[in-house]
Every structure is written in C-alpha cells, then in structure tokens.
PDB file of all heavy atoms in Angstrom:
ATOM      1  N   LEU F   1     239.214-106.240  58.613  1.00 94.00           N
ATOM      2  CA  LEU F   1     238.763-105.779  57.321  1.00 94.00           C
ATOM      3  C   LEU F   1     238.710-104.263  57.252  1.00 94.00           C
ATOM      4  O   LEU F   1     239.165-103.639  56.282  1.00 94.00           O
ATOM      5  CB  LEU F   1     237.384-106.356  56.984  1.00 94.00           C
ATOM      6  CG  LEU F   1     236.732-105.944  55.690  1.00 94.00           C
ATOM      7  CD1 LEU F   1     237.621-106.346  54.505  1.00 94.00           C
ATOM      8  CD2 LEU F   1     235.311-106.526  55.544  1.00 94.00           C
ATOM      9  N   ASP F   2     238.181-103.629  58.290  1.00 95.00           N
ATOM     10  CA  ASP F   2     238.044-102.181  58.323  1.00 95.00           C
ATOM     11  C   ASP F   2     239.433-101.526  58.268  1.00 95.00           C
ATOM     12  O   ASP F   2     239.620-100.534  57.527  1.00 95.00           O
ATOM     13  CB  ASP F   2     237.307-101.719  59.558  1.00 95.00           C
ATOM     14  CG  ASP F   2     235.813-102.053  59.516  1.00 95.00           C
ATOM     15  OD1 ASP F   2     235.324-102.329  58.401  1.00 95.00           O
ATOM     16  OD2 ASP F   2     235.182-102.017  60.565  1.00 95.00           O
ATOM     17  N   LYS F   3     240.359-102.077  59.021  1.00 95.00           N
ATOM     18  CA  LYS F   3     241.741-101.488  59.024  1.00 95.00           C
ATOM     19  C   LYS F   3     242.364-101.653  57.689  1.00 95.00           C
ATOM     20  O   LYS F   3     243.065-100.711  57.190  1.00 95.00           O
ATOM     21  CB  LYS F   3     242.555-102.161  60.125  1.00 95.00           C
ATOM     22  CG  LYS F   3     243.947-101.539  60.278  1.00 95.00           C
ATOM     23  CD  LYS F   3     244.724-102.178  61.440  1.00 95.00           C
ATOM     24  CE  LYS F   3     246.095-101.560  61.579  1.00 95.00           C
ATOM     25  NZ  LYS F   3     246.893-102.204  62.659  1.00 95.00           N
ATOM     26  N   MET F   4     242.210-102.800  57.052  1.00 95.00           N
ATOM     27  CA  MET F   4     242.797-103.006  55.737  1.00 95.00           C
ATOM     28  C   MET F   4     242.230-102.043  54.698  1.00 95.00           C
ATOM     29  O   MET F   4     242.936-101.502  53.864  1.00 95.00           O
ATOM     30  CB  MET F   4     242.591-104.443  55.289  1.00 95.00           C
ATOM     31  CG  MET F   4     243.148-104.773  53.910  1.00 95.00           C
ATOM     32  SD  MET F   4     243.075-106.515  53.468  1.00 95.00           S
ATOM     33  CE  MET F   4     244.521-107.117  54.320  1.00 95.00           C
ATOM     34  N   GLN F   5     240.924-101.838  54.770  1.00 95.00           N
ATOM     35  CA  GLN F   5     240.288-100.933  53.835  1.00 95.00           C
ATOM     36  C   GLN F   5     240.823 -99.508  53.978  1.00 95.00           C
ATOM     37  O   GLN F   5     241.093 -98.825  52.999  1.00 95.00           O
ATOM     38  CB  GLN F   5     238.769-100.937  54.041  1.00 95.00           C
ATOM     39  CG  GLN F   5     238.102-102.232  53.525  1.00 95.00           C
ATOM     40  CD  GLN F   5     236.601-102.228  53.848  1.00 95.00           C
ATOM     41  OE1 GLN F   5     236.162-101.780  54.894  1.00 95.00           O
ATOM     42  NE2 GLN F   5     235.804-102.784  52.944  1.00 95.00           N
ATOM     43  N   GLU F   6     240.978 -99.079  55.228  1.00 95.00           N
ATOM     44  CA  GLU F   6     241.512 -97.751  55.451  1.00 95.00           C
ATOM     45  C   GLU F   6     242.968 -97.631  54.955  1.00 95.00           C
ATOM     46  O   GLU F   6     243.330 -96.577  54.388  1.00 95.00           O
ATOM     47  CB  GLU F   6     241.478 -97.415  56.967  1.00 95.00           C
ATOM     48  CG  GLU F   6     240.105 -97.079  57.489  1.00 95.00           C
ATOM     49  CD  GLU F   6     239.482 -95.869  56.776  1.00 95.00           C
ATOM     50  OE1 GLU F   6     240.211 -94.842  56.608  1.00 95.00           O
ATOM     51  OE2 GLU F   6     238.313 -95.977  56.379  1.00 95.00           O
ATOM     52  N   GLU F   7     243.743 -98.651  55.168  1.00 95.00           N
ATOM     53  CA  GLU F   7     245.144 -98.607  54.703  1.00 95.00           C
ATOM     54  C   GLU F   7     245.265 -98.645  53.193  1.00 95.00           C
ATOM     55  O   GLU F   7     246.259 -98.149  52.636  1.00 95.00           O
ATOM     56  CB  GLU F   7     245.929 -99.787  55.337  1.00 95.00           C
ATOM     57  CG  GLU F   7     246.152 -99.658  56.821  1.00 95.00           C
ATOM     58  CD  GLU F   7     247.036-100.712  57.391  1.00 95.00           C
ATOM     59  OE1 GLU F   7     247.392-101.643  56.636  1.00 95.00           O
ATOM     60  OE2 GLU F   7     247.361-100.630  58.582  1.00 95.00           O
ATOM     61  N   MET F   8     244.246 -99.215  52.529  1.00 95.00           N
ATOM     62  CA  MET F   8     244.259 -99.283  51.074  1.00 95.00           C
ATOM     63  C   MET F   8     243.793 -98.007  50.403  1.00 95.00           C
ATOM     64  O   MET F   8     244.050 -97.788  49.208  1.00 95.00           O
ATOM     65  CB  MET F   8     243.370-100.439  50.606  1.00 95.00           C
ATOM     66  CG  MET F   8     244.014-101.830  50.769  1.00 95.00           C
ATOM     67  SD  MET F   8     242.909-103.115  50.106  1.00 95.00           S
ATOM     68  CE  MET F   8     244.039-104.541  50.100  1.00 95.00           C
ATOM     69  N   LYS F   9     243.110 -97.147  51.139  1.00 93.00           N
ATOM     70  CA  LYS F   9     242.480 -95.975  50.505  1.00 93.00           C
ATOM     71  C   LYS F   9     243.495 -95.027  49.822  1.00 93.00           C
ATOM     72  O   LYS F   9     243.231 -94.557  48.712  1.00 93.00           O
ATOM     73  CB  LYS F   9     241.659 -95.199  51.513  1.00 93.00           C
ATOM     74  CG  LYS F   9     240.289 -95.832  51.774  1.00 93.00           C
ATOM     75  CD  LYS F   9     239.422 -94.988  52.684  1.00 93.00           C
ATOM     76  CE  LYS F   9     238.049 -95.640  52.839  1.00 93.00           C
ATOM     77  NZ  LYS F   9     237.177 -94.846  53.730  1.00 93.00           N
ATOM     78  N   PRO F  10     244.654 -94.711  50.437  1.00 91.00           N
ATOM     79  CA  PRO F  10     245.633 -93.808  49.750  1.00 91.00           C
ATOM     80  C   PRO F  10     246.081 -94.408  48.395  1.00 91.00           C
ATOM     81  O   PRO F  10     246.140 -93.705  47.401  1.00 91.00           O
ATOM     82  CB  PRO F  10     246.790 -93.718  50.743  1.00 91.00           C
ATOM     83  CG  PRO F  10     246.161 -93.937  52.069  1.00 91.00           C
ATOM     84  CD  PRO F  10     245.118 -94.998  51.817  1.00 91.00           C
ATOM     85  N   GLN F  11     246.375 -95.716  48.382  1.00 93.00           N
ATOM     86  CA  GLN F  11     246.797 -96.334  47.142  1.00 93.00           C
ATOM     87  C   GLN F  11     245.654 -96.389  46.130  1.00 93.00           C
ATOM     88  O   GLN F  11     245.864 -96.177  44.938  1.00 93.00           O
ATOM     89  CB  GLN F  11     247.317 -97.743  47.396  1.00 93.00           C
ATOM     90  CG  GLN F  11     247.903 -98.413  46.181  1.00 93.00           C
ATOM     91  CD  GLN F  11     248.392 -99.846  46.421  1.00 93.00           C
ATOM     92  OE1 GLN F  11     248.298-100.341  47.542  1.00 93.00           O
ATOM     93  NE2 GLN F  11     248.862-100.486  45.417  1.00 93.00           N
ATOM     94  N   ALA F  12     244.451 -96.633  46.598  1.00 92.00           N
ATOM     95  CA  ALA F  12     243.266 -96.670  45.730  1.00 92.00           C
ATOM     96  C   ALA F  12     243.043 -95.287  45.102  1.00 92.00           C
ATOM     97  O   ALA F  12     242.752 -95.197  43.915  1.00 92.00           O
ATOM     98  CB  ALA F  12     242.014 -97.097  46.523  1.00 92.00           C
ATOM     99  N   LEU F  13     243.203 -94.255  45.920  1.00 88.00           N
ATOM    100  CA  LEU F  13     243.036 -92.891  45.403  1.00 88.00           C
ATOM    101  C   LEU F  13     244.064 -92.578  44.347  1.00 88.00           C
ATOM    102  O   LEU F  13     243.743 -92.034  43.278  1.00 88.00           O
ATOM    103  CB  LEU F  13     243.147 -91.887  46.556  1.00 88.00           C
ATOM    104  CG  LEU F  13     243.043 -90.400  46.200  1.00 88.00           C
ATOM    105  CD1 LEU F  13     241.656 -90.107  45.599  1.00 88.00           C
ATOM    106  CD2 LEU F  13     243.281 -89.547  47.421  1.00 88.00           C
ATOM    107  N   LYS F  14     245.304 -92.969  44.560  1.00 87.00           N
ATOM    108  CA  LYS F  14     246.385 -92.739  43.610  1.00 87.00           C
ATOM    109  C   LYS F  14     246.130 -93.481  42.295  1.00 87.00           C
ATOM    110  O   LYS F  14     246.328 -92.921  41.217  1.00 87.00           O
ATOM    111  CB  LYS F  14     247.724 -93.153  44.197  1.00 87.00           C
ATOM    112  CG  LYS F  14     248.906 -92.780  43.330  1.00 87.00           C
ATOM    113  CD  LYS F  14     250.230 -93.098  44.016  1.00 87.00           C
ATOM    114  CE  LYS F  14     251.395 -92.728  43.133  1.00 87.00           C
ATOM    115  NZ  LYS F  14     252.711 -93.000  43.814  1.00 87.00           N
ATOM    116  N   ARG F  15     245.621 -94.711  42.405  1.00 88.00           N
ATOM    117  CA  ARG F  15     245.304 -95.496  41.199  1.00 88.00           C
ATOM    118  C   ARG F  15     244.241 -94.803  40.356  1.00 88.00           C
ATOM    119  O   ARG F  15     244.316 -94.741  39.148  1.00 88.00           O
ATOM    120  CB  ARG F  15     244.856 -96.892  41.568  1.00 88.00           C
ATOM    121  CG  ARG F  15     245.978 -97.801  42.031  1.00 88.00           C
ATOM    122  CD  ARG F  15     245.514 -99.234  42.231  1.00 88.00           C
ATOM    123  NE  ARG F  15     246.563-100.111  42.708  1.00 88.00           N
ATOM    124  CZ  ARG F  15     246.395-101.430  42.870  1.00 88.00           C
ATOM    125  NH1 ARG F  15     245.272-102.015  42.521  1.00 88.00           N
ATOM    126  NH2 ARG F  15     247.406-102.162  43.291  1.00 88.00           N
ATOM    127  N   ILE F  16     243.188 -94.336  41.055  1.00 87.00           N
ATOM    128  CA  ILE F  16     242.078 -93.681  40.341  1.00 87.00           C
ATOM    129  C   ILE F  16     242.542 -92.415  39.646  1.00 87.00           C
ATOM    130  O   ILE F  16     242.278 -92.152  38.454  1.00 87.00           O
ATOM    131  CB  ILE F  16     240.921 -93.359  41.328  1.00 87.00           C
ATOM    132  CG1 ILE F  16     240.265 -94.634  41.847  1.00 87.00           C
ATOM    133  CG2 ILE F  16     239.887 -92.463  40.629  1.00 87.00           C
ATOM    134  CD1 ILE F  16     239.276 -94.365  42.954  1.00 87.00           C
ATOM    135  N   GLN F  17     243.315 -91.587  40.379  1.00 81.00           N
ATOM    136  CA  GLN F  17     243.792 -90.355  39.808  1.00 81.00           C
ATOM    137  C   GLN F  17     244.688 -90.602  38.613  1.00 81.00           C
ATOM    138  O   GLN F  17     244.610 -89.933  37.594  1.00 81.00           O
ATOM    139  CB  GLN F  17     244.559 -89.536  40.870  1.00 81.00           C
ATOM    140  CG  GLN F  17     243.628 -89.007  41.979  1.00 81.00           C
ATOM    141  CD  GLN F  17     244.394 -88.350  43.112  1.00 81.00           C
ATOM    142  OE1 GLN F  17     245.569 -88.724  43.403  1.00 81.00           O
ATOM    143  NE2 GLN F  17     243.786 -87.405  43.788  1.00 81.00           N
ATOM    144  N   THR F  18     245.586 -91.592  38.743  1.00 85.00           N
ATOM    145  CA  THR F  18     246.473 -91.949  37.621  1.00 85.00           C
ATOM    146  C   THR F  18     245.686 -92.425  36.422  1.00 85.00           C
ATOM    147  O   THR F  18     245.951 -91.999  35.264  1.00 85.00           O
ATOM    148  CB  THR F  18     247.471 -93.037  38.048  1.00 85.00           C
ATOM    149  OG1 THR F  18     248.241 -92.573  39.176  1.00 85.00           O
ATOM    150  CG2 THR F  18     248.419 -93.417  36.919  1.00 85.00           C
ATOM    151  N   ARG F  19     244.689 -93.239  36.672  1.00 85.00           N
ATOM    152  CA  ARG F  19     243.846 -93.779  35.589  1.00 85.00           C
ATOM    153  C   ARG F  19     243.127 -92.623  34.862  1.00 85.00           C
ATOM    154  O   ARG F  19     243.079 -92.593  33.644  1.00 85.00           O
ATOM    155  CB  ARG F  19     242.853 -94.765  36.148  1.00 85.00           C
ATOM    156  CG  ARG F  19     241.770 -95.220  35.158  1.00 85.00           C
ATOM    157  CD  ARG F  19     242.303 -96.249  34.203  1.00 85.00           C
ATOM    158  NE  ARG F  19     241.302 -96.579  33.212  1.00 85.00           N
ATOM    159  CZ  ARG F  19     241.303 -97.697  32.482  1.00 85.00           C
ATOM    160  NH1 ARG F  19     242.259 -98.593  32.659  1.00 85.00           N
ATOM    161  NH2 ARG F  19     240.353 -97.922  31.608  1.00 85.00           N
ATOM    162  N   LEU F  20     242.564 -91.712  35.616  1.00 79.00           N
ATOM    163  CA  LEU F  20     241.828 -90.607  35.002  1.00 79.00           C
ATOM    164  C   LEU F  20     242.712 -89.684  34.198  1.00 79.00           C
ATOM    165  O   LEU F  20     242.328 -89.224  33.112  1.00 79.00           O
ATOM    166  CB  LEU F  20     241.129 -89.768  36.101  1.00 79.00           C
ATOM    167  CG  LEU F  20     239.949 -90.465  36.808  1.00 79.00           C
ATOM    168  CD1 LEU F  20     239.487 -89.643  38.013  1.00 79.00           C
ATOM    169  CD2 LEU F  20     238.784 -90.714  35.843  1.00 79.00           C
ATOM    170  N   VAL F  21     243.940 -89.466  34.657  1.00 77.00           N
ATOM    171  CA  VAL F  21     244.886 -88.668  33.942  1.00 77.00           C
ATOM    172  C   VAL F  21     245.272 -89.372  32.631  1.00 77.00           C
ATOM    173  O   VAL F  21     245.315 -88.756  31.557  1.00 77.00           O
ATOM    174  CB  VAL F  21     246.168 -88.382  34.766  1.00 77.00           C
ATOM    175  CG1 VAL F  21     247.247 -87.770  33.901  1.00 77.00           C
ATOM    176  CG2 VAL F  21     245.797 -87.441  35.938  1.00 77.00           C
ATOM    177  N   LEU F  22     245.518 -90.661  32.697  1.00 84.00           N
ATOM    178  CA  LEU F  22     245.910 -91.417  31.515  1.00 84.00           C
ATOM    179  C   LEU F  22     244.785 -91.468  30.488  1.00 84.00           C
ATOM    180  O   LEU F  22     245.004 -91.390  29.257  1.00 84.00           O
ATOM    181  CB  LEU F  22     246.358 -92.844  31.882  1.00 84.00           C
ATOM    182  CG  LEU F  22     247.682 -92.913  32.641  1.00 84.00           C
ATOM    183  CD1 LEU F  22     247.885 -94.341  33.177  1.00 84.00           C
ATOM    184  CD2 LEU F  22     248.811 -92.509  31.751  1.00 84.00           C
ATOM    185  N   GLU F  23     243.532 -91.626  30.995  1.00 82.00           N
ATOM    186  CA  GLU F  23     242.393 -91.622  30.065  1.00 82.00           C
ATOM    187  C   GLU F  23     242.284 -90.256  29.362  1.00 82.00           C
ATOM    188  O   GLU F  23     241.961 -90.209  28.162  1.00 82.00           O
ATOM    189  CB  GLU F  23     241.103 -91.881  30.869  1.00 82.00           C
ATOM    190  CG  GLU F  23     240.937 -93.320  31.271  1.00 82.00           C
ATOM    191  CD  GLU F  23     239.654 -93.581  32.041  1.00 82.00           C
ATOM    192  OE1 GLU F  23     238.879 -92.620  32.238  1.00 82.00           O
ATOM    193  OE2 GLU F  23     239.386 -94.761  32.405  1.00 82.00           O
ATOM    194  N   LYS F  24     242.561 -89.169  30.084  1.00 76.00           N
ATOM    195  CA  LYS F  24     242.463 -87.857  29.466  1.00 76.00           C
ATOM    196  C   LYS F  24     243.602 -87.659  28.455  1.00 76.00           C
ATOM    197  O   LYS F  24     243.364 -87.074  27.380  1.00 76.00           O
ATOM    198  CB  LYS F  24     242.539 -86.793  30.574  1.00 76.00           C
ATOM    199  CG  LYS F  24     242.399 -85.369  30.017  1.00 76.00           C
ATOM    200  CD  LYS F  24     241.191 -85.193  29.160  1.00 76.00           C
ATOM    201  CE  LYS F  24     239.912 -85.442  29.868  1.00 76.00           C
ATOM    202  NZ  LYS F  24     238.723 -85.180  29.052  1.00 76.00           N
ATOM    203  N   ILE F  25     244.788 -88.178  28.760  1.00 79.00           N
ATOM    204  CA  ILE F  25     245.885 -88.063  27.785  1.00 79.00           C
ATOM    205  C   ILE F  25     245.530 -88.842  26.527  1.00 79.00           C
ATOM    206  O   ILE F  25     245.747 -88.354  25.419  1.00 79.00           O
ATOM    207  CB  ILE F  25     247.179 -88.643  28.431  1.00 79.00           C
ATOM    208  CG1 ILE F  25     247.694 -87.707  29.518  1.00 79.00           C
ATOM    209  CG2 ILE F  25     248.280 -88.819  27.321  1.00 79.00           C
ATOM    210  CD1 ILE F  25     248.856 -88.240  30.269  1.00 79.00           C
ATOM    211  N   ALA F  26     244.962 -90.020  26.704  1.00 84.00           N
ATOM    212  CA  ALA F  26     244.544 -90.850  25.528  1.00 84.00           C
ATOM    213  C   ALA F  26     243.538 -90.088  24.713  1.00 84.00           C
ATOM    214  O   ALA F  26     243.538 -90.135  23.468  1.00 84.00           O
ATOM    215  CB  ALA F  26     244.009 -92.189  25.998  1.00 84.00           C
ATOM    216  N   GLU F  27     242.623 -89.402  25.381  1.00 78.00           N
ATOM    217  CA  GLU F  27     241.587 -88.668  24.636  1.00 78.00           C
ATOM    218  C   GLU F  27     242.160 -87.469  23.916  1.00 78.00           C
ATOM    219  O   GLU F  27     241.855 -87.258  22.724  1.00 78.00           O
ATOM    220  CB  GLU F  27     240.495 -88.216  25.622  1.00 78.00           C
ATOM    221  CG  GLU F  27     239.384 -87.413  25.000  1.00 78.00           C
ATOM    222  CD  GLU F  27     238.420 -86.877  26.029  1.00 78.00           C
ATOM    223  OE1 GLU F  27     238.252 -87.479  27.082  1.00 78.00           O
ATOM    224  OE2 GLU F  27     237.824 -85.814  25.745  1.00 78.00           O
ATOM    225  N   VAL F  28     242.947 -86.686  24.623  1.00 73.00           N
ATOM    226  CA  VAL F  28     243.514 -85.468  24.023  1.00 73.00           C
ATOM    227  C   VAL F  28     244.432 -85.821  22.854  1.00 73.00           C
ATOM    228  O   VAL F  28     244.435 -85.111  21.840  1.00 73.00           O
ATOM    229  CB  VAL F  28     244.291 -84.662  25.094  1.00 73.00           C
ATOM    230  CG1 VAL F  28     245.073 -83.502  24.467  1.00 73.00           C
ATOM    231  CG2 VAL F  28     243.330 -84.106  26.136  1.00 73.00           C
TER     232      VAL F  28
END
C-alpha cells in the first residue's frame, strides 16, 4: 500500500494542478 501511494503521488499532483488551472480558466 505504501509503495502504491508513493507511485501515485506524481500523477495525483498533476491531476490537482490541472484541475486548479482549469477551474481558474473557467472563472476568468
């Protein structure tokens, strides 16, 4: 479980960043 969580973190970070950018585009 710990190894899987660590391997998922880069993709999770990218998803969050993409989502925040898209939310800001929608707002602007």
Side-chain angles (χ1 to χ4, degrees):
L1 178 60
D2 289 342
K3 185 178 180 181
M4 179 173 279
Q5 287 176 323
E6 284 302 314
E7 290 186 354
M8 283 183 169
K9 281 185 177 180
Q11 185 181 359
L13 179 61
K14 187 174 181 180
R15 286 188 182 185
I16 293 171
Q17 291 173 331
T18 300
R19 171 78 185 201
L20 291 171
V21 169
L22 290 171
E23 286 181 359
K24 183 52 61 178
I25 291 173
E27 179 186 332
V28 171

